[in-house]
Each structure stands twice: as structure tokens, then as C-alpha cells.
């Protein structure tokens, strides 16, 4: 379990992380979501002792990271897949990690196989690796110590769709075995398919957190009318029923459950073409909305 | 028989439900011993092409320098001292660069992200780096001594004169100390700059520009002449190679290294311990 308590990191007048608190629970995959520069990486670097917080603390299974006597065996960390020595082979990088942790050499080949890097790929120098291969190697470094906690910064970056699916299954399996997974991303749909819990951060502040199911429920209902001209009519009807709506993808997103929206449409005599929980679409909109005031694109929107 | 099979089937099912809990159970985690860290740092010095050739250059330079002495030195100059000087000069350039790269590689190649995550006590990582660097330095000098001795034997055999062994143990000790100080200088520049390019430029300023500047100053300014051994660290260190050290020489070595080595080393180490690793 990872517990972040009132974490703040200031660089001069700039506050990169602003009073952030959340928990990544054991047995669950926690997605750490936010636009670029929101403070995800800073928070993760603080977790593993690479950056000192201004105030607040992070504990992993109740202890400070620096109190762990051999951290690689307890916490698997991938902060940047590109931060590997370009002149070393993949196998060598993994062998160094194994040696540092005091693991037998056999673990290197096992772990390479586990992340899907072939023997020939492992003999190549990292400068010849694609980003996807570097990610796999980075994940291998995180996994080799067989830790109970994983902290992964943008691990899906550069992976192809098959790679993302592989990683999803890997992290799912890890969490199902009682492990704690915290992974960050700036892409909602990437994290949506993997995470159980979501922590959304914008400009250093947490703007939403909860289980994915909760946040999806909060995302409301998506409704499309058969005749686009009737959409305004439905919006007005919903407004009279005190339901907040906003247009989305040639339809409406309503802050209500589908039953209420259907009933309202029926009473207003509007024929519907589609009526369902907004799910991803709603969550994405929520994500953009929550981060709009903080995101770079906010000014334009 | 069939019932037995049925009884047997639940077993894997039980196994598959218990294994998932296994990683959650806390294992006995042993601390990382210092010897292992030194071993890891030694490995990192050799396991890239650049690192390998850097190390190989120590042996190659020794052999080339020895060959050069045998070919070009006049017969009476074929002594152990000549060989050791010929090998020592290029070696004293290569060794500090090895020391620099052992530190700056973590920053220039950003491997520090992994290193300091696996070993979050940076002081221990630095200690392991110093230990492995000095180990390499001492081994390199013993190799150089061996190659030089071999050259002396071969050279003497060619000239037909008796081999001259004119390096005492104390003298060899001084040469080792001079090179160790050189490597620590490299190490100091590494922790201070934390960038390969910056530290190597700094090293050439230290070893090429400063001595010339101090030498020129001493040549033209009367008042500086007596002061030079106290402030010019290269001047003070170089005397380890070729002179019998007096008490005053040792004091001058102490004072000049305090200013040019120990204090900046302390500042650099403090920065390494505190700086954010990105």
C-alpha cells in the first residue's frame, strides 16, 4: 500500500505538487491521471526518494522509502524508460539490477522472458531499442526483484496496442495476487482499461479521486435523439427536471441516471436513438473539464 | 478410480488460490552489503564499449610507452625509472577520466534514476564508486609497474647492460599516492559538475591551464614564487613523482589539496546527496 499524505513540493515560487493526499491500495491498480506537467512525475520521484518534498510524506507499506533495506525487492520502480545507459545491452542492465538486489543470475533470463524480450533483443545495446522495448526493459527492472508494490510512470508510452494489452494483463495479475500498482498516464483511455481506482491531478492539485466505477457513475448518461432537431427540446425538458446537460458528440450528456433521462424523454415525446451510461465518453469529458482550468489548452477552450 | 481422479482435481485448484497470496507475504529482506555495491560499480566501469576501451587503454598505453622507451631511449637511460615515468605520464591522464566517468555516467546517461532508486542512500553509492575507482587505479599501477619491469628486463637484454632497478618501495608508494590524488580530483570534478562534458573540461583546466597560469605568475611575480608550492596543487602533487618529499613538501601538498581537492569534494558530495535526480 502506498500512502501519500499532504505532499507539497515547491520550486521557488512555483508549486509543482500542492497538498496531495491519496492512497494506492493493495490488490488494486491505481491510475494516476493528469495532463503533462501536472505533477505526476514529481510526486512519483518523491515517493522513491529521488526528490525531497517541501512538506508532507509518502509511506510504502507504512515505511519511508529510505527505510527499506533493499528497496528493489519491495518496490518495483519505472520512472523513465529512456533513462538507461545507451551503451549497455538490455541483459546487462537487468543483470546490474539483479546483482544490486543480490538475486541469482537465472532471474535475468526469466524476467526477460516475462516481459517478452527475446534473447537476441536482450543482446542488443539499448541505443538500438525502440521506446516500446525500453518500456519492457524498464518494467523488467521493476519486476525482477519480485516486489509487492509497483510504481510506474507512463509505462504504456510507446507500447503498441498488443503491448498495452500485455501490460494490462500483467498489472491485473499482479494486483490480483495482492500487489499494489500505481501507474501514471496523461491518456485517459489508456488508464481506464487498466485501473480500478483513479486519482486525477491538475496543476499539482488533486481534482478527483475514487474508484473507476464511482467516477464512471458520476459521469452520467449519454443520450442521442433520433431527430437532431429535437435535441434542444430534450435539453429543455431535462433542464426543467433539474438535470444539468451538456452537448457531446452530437448528443447530450446528462448528470442523471439513464432511467430518469428516458422517462423525461418519454414525457417530452422525444424519440431516442441512443440511451446509455456515459462511461468512457463521460469520464473523458470530466477529465477535460476537471483539468480545463489547469491545462495548457484551457485558455483556448 | 474415477472417484480418486475427482478427489485429485481440487488440489491444483487449491494451489492456484493459495499461490496468489504468496507475493503478499513479507519475505526476509537482507540489507545490501557494501562489497556488493563495489562489485556493481566495478562492473559498470567495464560493461560499455567506452568503459571497456577506457580500461583497455591503461594496458595499451603501458605497452606502447614501454616499447617507445626501448626503441628511442639512449642505452644509459634504460632504467626502471625511465619506464615508470614514460608509463606514468599517460596513465595519470587516463585514471582521473575513469574516475570522472564513474560519477557523471549516472547523470549524463541518467542511469542515476535506477541506481539511486535501487540504493536510495547516495552516500553509500558514492563510497562504492570511490572504492571501485581506487581499486582500478591501484591495479592499473601495479600492471604498469609489471609492464615497466618487463620492459626494463627486455630493454637491458637488448642493450646488453645490467638492468637498473632504481625505484624504491617508498617511491612507488608516492607514485600511487599521486595517482590516487589525481583520481580523487577527477571524482571531485565529477560530483561537482555531474556532467561528463563539464567535468572533463574542468579536468583539463585543472591539469593544463592552471599549472601554466601558476607557472607564468611565478616566473614574473617575485612575491608569488614562494607561495606557488602552497597554492598550485599540480606543482605540489607532481613532486611526489620525482623528488624526495620533505616535511615542508608534505605540508604544501596538504594545504594545496585542501583548497583544490578536499573542500570542493565536500561541496560536490553534499550536492550529490541533496540534489534532485531527474
Amino acid at each position: 500500500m502506498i500512502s501519500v499524505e499532504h505532499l507539497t513540493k515547491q520550486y521557488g515560487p512555483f508549486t509543482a505538487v500542492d497538498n496531495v493526499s491519496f492512497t494506492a491500495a493493495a490488490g488494486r491498480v491505481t491510475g494516476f491521471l493528469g495532463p503533462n506537467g501536472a505533477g505526476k512525475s514529481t510526486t512519483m520521484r518523491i515517493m522513491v526518494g529521488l526528490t525531497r518534498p517541501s512538506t508532507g510524506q509518502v509511506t510504502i507499506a507504512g515505511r519511508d522509502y529510505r527505510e527499506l533495506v533493499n528497496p528493489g525487492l519491495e518496490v518495483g520502480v519505472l520512472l523513465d524508460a529512456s533513462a538507461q545507459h545507451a551503451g549497455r545491452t538490455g541483459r546487462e542492465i537487468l543483470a546490474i539490477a539483479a546483482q544490486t538486489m543480490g538475486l541469482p543470475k537465472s532471474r535475468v533470463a526469466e524476467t526477460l522472458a516475462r516481459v517478452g524480450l527475446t534473447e537476441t533483443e536482450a543482446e542488443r545495446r539499448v541505443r538500438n531499442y525502440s521506446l516500446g522495448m525500453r518500456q519492457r526493459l524498464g518494467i523488467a527492472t521493476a519486476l525482477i526483484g519480485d516486489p509487492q508494490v509497483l510504481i510506474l510512470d507512463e509505462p504504456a508510452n510507446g507500447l503498441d496496442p498488443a503491448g498495452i494489452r500485455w501490460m494490462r494483463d500483467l498489472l491485473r495479475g499482479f494486483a490480483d495476487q495482492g500487489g499494489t500498482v500505481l501507474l501514471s498516464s496523461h491518456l485517459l483511455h489508456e488508464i481506464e482499461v487498466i485501473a480500478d481506482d483513479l486519482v486525477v491531478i491538475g496543476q499539482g492539485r488533486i481534482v478527483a479521486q475514487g474508484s473507476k466505477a464511482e467516477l464512471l457513475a458520476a459521469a452520467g448518461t449519454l443520450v442521442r435523439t433520433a431527430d437532431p432537431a429535437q435535441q434542444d427540446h430534450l435539453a429543455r425538458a431535462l433542464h426543467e427536471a433539474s438535470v444539468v446537460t451538456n452537448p457531446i458528440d452530437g448528443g447530450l450528456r446528462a448528470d442523471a441516471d439513464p432511467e430518469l433521462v428516458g422517462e423525461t424523454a418519454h414525457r417530452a415525446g422525444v424519440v431516442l436513438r441512443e440511451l446509455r451510461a456515459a462511461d468512457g465518453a463521460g469520464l473523458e469529458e470530466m477529465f477535460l473539464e476537471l483539468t480545463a482550468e489547469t491545462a495548457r489548452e484551457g485558455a483556448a477552450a | 478410480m474415477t472417484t480418486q481422479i475427482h478427489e485429485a482435481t481440487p488440489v491444483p485448484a487449491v494451489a492456484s488460490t493459495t499461490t496468489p497470496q504468496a507475493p503478499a507475504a513479507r519475505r526476509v529482506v537482507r540489507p545490501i552489503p557494501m562489497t556488493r555495491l563495489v562489485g556493481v560499480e566495478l562492473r559498470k566501469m567495464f560493461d560499455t564499449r567506452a568503459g571497456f576501451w577506457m580500461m583497455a587503454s591503461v594496458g595499451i598505453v603501458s605497452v606502447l610507452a614501454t616499447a617507445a622507451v626501448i626503441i628511442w631511449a639512449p642505452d644509459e637511460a634504460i632504467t626502471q625509472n625511465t619506464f615508470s615515468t614514460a608509463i606514468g605520464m599517460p596513465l595519470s591522464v587516463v585514471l582521473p577520466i575513469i574516475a570522472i566517468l564513474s560519477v557523471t555516467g549516472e547523470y549524463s546517461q541518467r542511469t542515476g534514476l535506477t541506481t539511486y532508486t535501487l540504493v536510495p542512500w547516495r552516500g553509500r553509492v558514492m563510497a562504492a564508486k570511490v572504492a571501485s575507482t581506487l581499486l582500478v587505479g591501484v591495479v592499473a599501477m601495479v600492471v604498469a609497474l609489471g609492464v615497466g619491469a618487463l620492459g626494463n628486463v627486455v630493454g637491458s637484454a637488448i642493450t646488453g647492460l645490467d638492468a637498473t632497478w632504481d625505484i624504491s618501495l617508498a617511491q612507488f608508494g608516492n607514485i600511487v599516492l599521486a595517482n590516487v590524488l589525481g583520481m580523487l580530483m577527477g571524482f571531485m570534478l565529477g560530483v561537482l559538475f555531474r556532467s561528463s562534458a563539464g567535468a572533463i573540461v574542468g579536468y583539463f583546466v585543472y591539469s593544463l591551464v592552471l599549472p601554466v597560469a601558476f607557472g607564468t605568475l611565478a616566473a614574473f611575480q617575485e612575491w608569488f614564487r614562494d607561495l606557488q608550492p602552497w597554492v598550485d596543487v599540480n606543482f605540489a602533487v607532481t613532486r611526489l613523482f620525482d623528488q624526495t618529499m620533505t616535511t615542508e613538501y608534505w605540508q604544501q601538498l596538504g594545504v594545496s589539496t585542501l583548497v583544490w581537492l578536499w573542500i570542493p569534494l565536500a561541496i560536490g558530495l553534499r550536492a550529490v546527496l541533496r540534489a534532485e535526480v531527474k
Side-chain angles (χ1 to χ4, degrees), chain A residues 62 110 160 216 254 272:
Chain A
E110 282 168 30
D160 53 26
L216 283 175
L272 297 183

Side-chain angles (χ1 to χ4, degrees), chain A residues 1-42:
Chain A
M1 191 183 86
I2 306 168
S3 174
V4 180
E5 292 154 33
H6 304 291
L7 203 64
T8 297
K9 175 67 185 175
Q10 280 167 317
Y11 296 98
F14 174 66
T15 306
V17 178
D18 191 355
N19 197 24
V20 162
S21 299
F22 67 89
T23 308
R28 295 180 77 84
V29 177
T30 305
F32 196 24
L33 187 64
N36 296 322
K40 303 185 296 287
S41 298
T42 307

Side-chain angles (χ1 to χ4, degrees), chain A residues 200-219:
Chain A
V200 187
I201 187 170
Q203 232 171 38
R205 287 201 197 115
I206 290 191
V207 287
Q209 60 177 316
S211 73
K212 189 172 68 182
E214 275 166 29
L215 291 176
L216 283 175

Side-chain angles (χ1 to χ4, degrees), chain A residues 11 45 48-52 61 63 65-66 68-74 77 79-80 82-88 92 95-97 99-102 125 127 141 145-148 176-178, chain B residues 19-32 36-37 39-40 43-45 47-49 105 109-122 124 273-278:
Chain A
Y11 296 98
R45 277 203 314 276
V48 298
L50 292 178
T51 295
R52 284 162 190 260
R63 285 170 302 166
Y65 189 83
R66 284 166 205 255
L68 306 174
V69 292
N70 191 343
L73 299 183
E74 305 192 49
V77 181
L79 291 182
D80 187 344
S82 304
Q84 290 162 347
H85 198 300
R88 292 197 179 112
E92 177 63 20
I96 290 173
Q99 191 183 340
T100 308
M101 295 177 212
R125 290 178 198 274
R127 73 164 56 86
T141 309
D146 199 12
Q148 291 92 48
D176 287 347
Q177 290 176 10
Chain B
T19 37
Q21 261 93 51
R26 183 63 45 78
R27 289 168 301 173
V28 181
V29 178
R30 283 175 215 288
I32 305 171
R36 193 195 290 160
L37 288 183
V40 168
R43 176 179 194 149
K44 280 153 74 174
M45 289 176 142
D47 69 357
T48 62
R49 263 186 209 143
Q109 294 281 344
R110 300 180 62 223
T111 49
L113 230 56
T114 308
T115 305
Y116 297 137
T117 308
L118 292 180
V119 189
W121 317 279
R122 297 182 205 169
R124 291 187 64 194
L273 296 188
R274 301 177 67 93
E276 191 173 14
V277 182
K278 288 196 171 185

Side-chain angles (χ1 to χ4, degrees), chain A residues 223-241:
Chain A
V223 58
R224 284 194 175 91
T225 53
D227 177 2
Q230 279 197 306
Q231 186 174 310
D232 283 346
H233 184 51
L234 175 63
R236 237 174 291 124
L238 282 166
H239 184 70
E240 277 160 24

Side-chain angles (χ1 to χ4, degrees), chain B residues 2-275:
Chain B
T2 44
T3 50
Q4 274 181 332
I5 290 165
H6 276 288
E7 275 167 13
T9 42
V11 177
V14 170
S16 67
T17 49
T18 49
T19 37
Q21 261 93 51
R26 183 63 45 78
R27 289 168 301 173
V28 181
V29 178
R30 283 175 215 288
I32 305 171
M34 198 61 203
T35 47
R36 193 195 290 160
L37 288 183
V38 175
V40 168
E41 290 304 329
L42 273 176
R43 176 179 194 149
K44 280 153 74 174
M45 289 176 142
F46 288 90
D47 69 357
T48 62
R49 263 186 209 143
F52 174 79
W53 286 108
M54 202 76 204
M55 296 299 171
S57 72
V58 170
I60 294 167
V61 157
S62 308
V63 172
L64 287 182
T66 305
V69 169
I70 292 174
I71 295 167
W72 285 299
D75 287 0
E76 67 276 10
I78 302 280
T79 70
Q80 195 189 9
N81 203 354
T82 313
F83 283 104
S84 112
T85 311
I87 299 170
M89 278 302 288
L91 206 59
S92 68
V93 176
V94 174
L95 291 179
I97 293 179
I98 290 174
I100 287 174
L101 294 180
S102 82
V103 180
T104 56
E106 301 284 359
Y107 296 88
S108 291
Q109 294 281 344
R110 300 180 62 223
T111 49
L113 230 56
T114 308
T115 305
Y116 297 137
T117 308
L118 292 180
V119 189
W121 317 279
R122 297 182 205 169
R124 291 187 64 194
V125 175
M126 286 298 131
K129 281 186 188 296
V130 171
S132 59
T133 305
L134 293 185
L135 214 57
V136 164
V138 171
V139 168
M141 277 176 280
V142 170
V143 168
L145 185 75
V147 174
L150 196 68
N152 198 19
V153 170
V154 173
S156 303
I158 292 170
T159 58
L161 299 169
D162 280 344
T164 316
W165 303 101
D166 50 0
I167 292 184
S168 65
L169 193 64
Q171 217 175 337
F172 183 67
N174 280 357
I175 294 172
V176 170
L177 177 65
N179 277 307
V180 164
L181 287 174
M183 294 184 94
L184 287 175
M185 299 264 194
F187 195 82
M188 175 273 288
L189 290 165
V191 292
L192 216 49
F193 284 89
R194 301 196 293 284
S195 133
S196 300
I200 288 173
V201 169
Y203 170 63
F204 283 116
V205 168
Y206 244 73
S207 59
L208 298 176
V209 178
L210 280 182
V212 173
F214 282 132
T216 314
L217 195 62
F220 292 104
Q221 296 291 327
E222 191 81 31
W223 59 268
F224 185 70
R225 213 158 293 164
D226 293 336
L227 211 58
Q228 193 191 6
W230 296 97
V231 293
D232 186 346
V233 69
N234 282 284
F235 189 86
V237 170
T238 313
R239 287 199 297 210
L240 281 170
F241 283 109
D242 44 32
Q243 289 189 34
T244 317
M245 296 294 284
T246 65
T247 313
E248 193 187 20
Y249 285 3
W250 283 115
Q251 287 167 346
Q252 289 167 341
L253 185 66
V255 171
S256 58
T257 50
L258 181 71
V259 175
W260 290 100
L261 171 61
W262 302 115
I263 292 174
L265 181 61
I267 294 171
L269 283 175
R270 191 181 135 89
V272 163
L273 296 188
R274 301 177 67 93

